[in-house]
């Protein structure tokens, strides 16, 4: 099976299952125009995240990696009107564009972007005694994913759902000697989950491999147990 076919199938799905959404089209166009990397979730995957947050009844969401705010808007739309979403972004230029996009989406009242290295922002949220989040989406730089996950656990309660993106990396996670630090980050992430499984178990987790317009990758779903 080829990339071309995976992309065709994503278009097939979008044309049938997703509502036309000029605002989200504009968000992607503005992101491309501003030179942001084309690494936002696909529409079908973004809608999956939105539906998962709703299935879970999430009232508070933490996102790592705002980029242009595409996934942020999809997740923000899953929240009730008194919900809250905190999104962490390293790049001030990305954060500024995301803020404008979120404003246009009418979600500025629900969403706060914190600019800076995510590990610093996470430490600050933990130190402030921030209420635990219902739903956490880790989609920032891949090298630090294990550390992000550990911090996410500190901002969780039993029942929190933590989804981590890009965990398969074209299959590179099975290459123990991969020279790609991002693949190594995702290997360490899986080792961390494997160690947790041996107890005292804090999460139950699984990883699902995916193909689509963005190639071959995957995500991990973790449910915080304690
Ligand atoms: C990259 C990052 C992502 O979050 C993603 O979904 C795909 C690719 C990247 O940095 O290459
Ligand atoms: Mg991603």
């Amino acid at each position: 099976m080829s990339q071309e076919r995976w992309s065709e199938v994503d278009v097939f799905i979008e044309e049938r299952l997703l509502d036309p959404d000029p605002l989200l089209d504009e968000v992607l166009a503005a992101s491309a125009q501003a030179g942001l990397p084309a690494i936002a979730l696909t529409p079908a995957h973004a809608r999956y995240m939105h539906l998962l947050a709703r299935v879970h009844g999430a009232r508070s969401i933490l996102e790592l990696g705002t980029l242009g705010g595409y996934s942020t808007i999809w997740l923000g739309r899953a929240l009730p009107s008194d919900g809250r979403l905190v999104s962490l972004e390293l790049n001030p230029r990305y954060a500024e564009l995301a803020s404008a996009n979120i404003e246009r989406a009418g979600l500025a009242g629900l969403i706060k972007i914190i600019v800076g290295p995510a590990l610093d922002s996470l430490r600050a949220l933990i130190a402030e005694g921030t209420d635990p989040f219902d739903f956490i989406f880790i989609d920032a730089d891949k090298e630090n994913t294990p550390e992000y996950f550990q911090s996410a656990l500190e901002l969780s309660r039993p029942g929190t759902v933590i989804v981590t993106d890009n965990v398969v990396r074209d299959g590179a996670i099975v290459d123990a000697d991969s020279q790609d630090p991002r693949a190594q980050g995702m290997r360490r992430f899986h080792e961390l989950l494997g160690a947790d499984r041996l107890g005292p178990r804090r999460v139950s987790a699984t990883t699902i491999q995916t193909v689509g317009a963005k190639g071959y990758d995957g995500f991990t779903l973790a449910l915080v147990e304690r």
Side-chain angles (χ1 to χ4, degrees), residues 51-132:
L51 291 171
L52 191 60
R54 285 177 57 196
V55 164
H56 187 49
R59 305 178 62 82
S60 62
I61 298 177
L62 173 65
E63 176 182 62
L64 281 62
T66 317
L67 197 64
Y70 181 77
S71 55
T72 320
I73 291 169
W74 269 106
L75 287 171
R77 286 175 174 176
L79 287 169
S81 58
D82 61 345
R84 71 184 173 111
L85 191 160
V86 175
S87 188
L88 312 183
E89 176 53 51
L90 173 64
N91 187 316
R93 205 168 59 82
Y94 297 0
E96 201 172 314
L97 179 66
S99 288
N101 288 334
I102 288 162
E103 179 83 43
R104 271 200 283 177
L107 290 167
L110 297 186
I111 298 174
K112 179 170 121 181
I113 299 176
I114 304 177
V115 181
L119 285 174
D120 293 350
S121 304
L122 290 163
R123 256 193 290 275
L125 288 170
I126 294 164
E128 284 163 17
T130 305
D131 284 341

Side-chain angles (χ1 to χ4, degrees), residues 39-41 139-140 142 165-166 169 182 214 217:
I39 55 174
L41 294 179
D139 192 20
K142 311 310 166 189
D165 196 26
N166 309 114
R169 310 291 323 175
R182 296 172 300 182
K214 283 175 64 188
D217 213 323

Side-chain angles (χ1 to χ4, degrees), residues 91-221:
N91 187 316
R93 205 168 59 82
Y94 297 0
E96 201 172 314
L97 179 66
S99 288
N101 288 334
I102 288 162
E103 179 83 43
R104 271 200 283 177
L107 290 167
L110 297 186
I111 298 174
K112 179 170 121 181
I113 299 176
I114 304 177
V115 181
L119 285 174
D120 293 350
S121 304
L122 290 163
R123 256 193 290 275
L125 288 170
I126 294 164
E128 284 163 17
T130 305
D131 284 341
F133 293 91
D134 299 330
F135 191 96
I136 301 178
F137 181 40
I138 302 176
D139 192 20
D141 55 299
K142 311 310 166 189
E143 292 86 334
N144 287 313
T145 295
E147 289 70 33
Y148 294 152
F149 187 82
Q150 274 167 320
S151 296
L153 282 177
E154 293 189 53
L155 293 164
S156 296
R157 53 161 177 83
T160 295
V161 165
I162 307 177
V163 180
T164 305
D165 196 26
N166 309 114
V167 302
V168 173
R169 310 291 323 175
D170 227 355
I173 51 162
V174 300
D175 298 335
D177 51 4
S178 168
Q179 298 302 302
D180 179 353
R182 296 172 300 182
Q184 288 294 350
M186 292 312 180
R187 282 182 66 83
R188 286 199 299 122
F189 174 56
H190 280 84
E191 302 302 346
L192 177 74
L193 293 173
D196 179 80
R197 188 169 56 84
L198 302 178
R201 182 184 296 219
R202 291 210 54 198
V203 301
S204 296
T206 191
T207 291
I208 298 298
Q209 304 183 65
T210 57
V211 294
K214 283 175 64 188
Y216 167 37
D217 213 323
F219 62 87
T220 301
L221 177 72

